[in-house]
Amino acid sequence: MHEMSIAEGIVQLLEEQAAAQRFERVKAVWLEIGPLAAVEVESLRFCFEAVTRHSLAEGARLEIVELPGRAWCLGCNASVAIRQRYDACPQCGSHHLQVTQGDELRVKELEVE
């Protein structure tokens, strides 16, 4: 379950930012996650709750901002919506797509005290 290592990485990032920006507690974390990031959101929530115990983020809300998947079709030169890698272009049926959005996993915002 790589969601545990993702959650641990988030807590490490929070600790680094707390030292750099001098805050003591994290009340909420907003993550942007695309459908192509290969992250199981409910597993990440569970892991985040587990790894934040006894940390500056204990009890923090984890808010998920789901981003849409998008790709550039090399067949018809269109920007199209996709749900998963290797989808066909909904306009021309080509499988020659270059992902342009949807594989993100990043901390978007923090609420701190």
Side-chain angles (χ1 to χ4, degrees):
M1 167 184 334
H2 74 282
E3 284 81 1
M4 183 64 78
S5 62
I6 292 170
E8 290 170 342
I10 292 168
V11 171
Q12 182 179 2
L13 175 73
L14 297 176
E15 290 170 350
E16 291 168 2
Q17 290 304 305
Q21 298 183 32
R22 300 179 189 233
F23 57 83
E24 296 179 7
R25 186 169 178 280
V26 176
K27 294 172 65 178
V29 177
W30 281 263
L31 294 180
E32 289 184 332
I33 302 177
L36 311 174
V39 174
E40 171 54 51
V41 172
E42 290 310 310
S43 293
L44 180 59
R45 287 185 189 282
F46 176 82
C47 294
F48 182 80
E49 184 179 331
V51 300
T52 56
R53 288 188 187 123
H54 308 295
S55 78
L56 76 159
E58 183 170 14
R61 289 187 334 271
L62 182 60
E63 302 287 343
I64 305 296
V65 178
E66 294 185 28
L67 300 174
R70 296 210 56 87
W72 182 258
C73 177
L74 301 174
C76 66
N77 291 322
S79 179
V80 296
I82 58 172
R83 285 187 237 156
Q84 59 188 7
R85 291 194 189 277
Y86 312 113
D87 274 355
C89 174
Q91 293 186 14
C92 74
S94 171
H95 284 278
H96 297 287
L97 299 176
Q98 181 177 2
V99 173
T100 58
Q101 180 180 316
D103 56 356
E104 300 88 352
L105 170 59
R106 65 177 158 241
V107 175
K108 174 74 172 164
E109 188 176 335
L110 300 175
E111 181 180 340
V112 300
E113 339 182 287

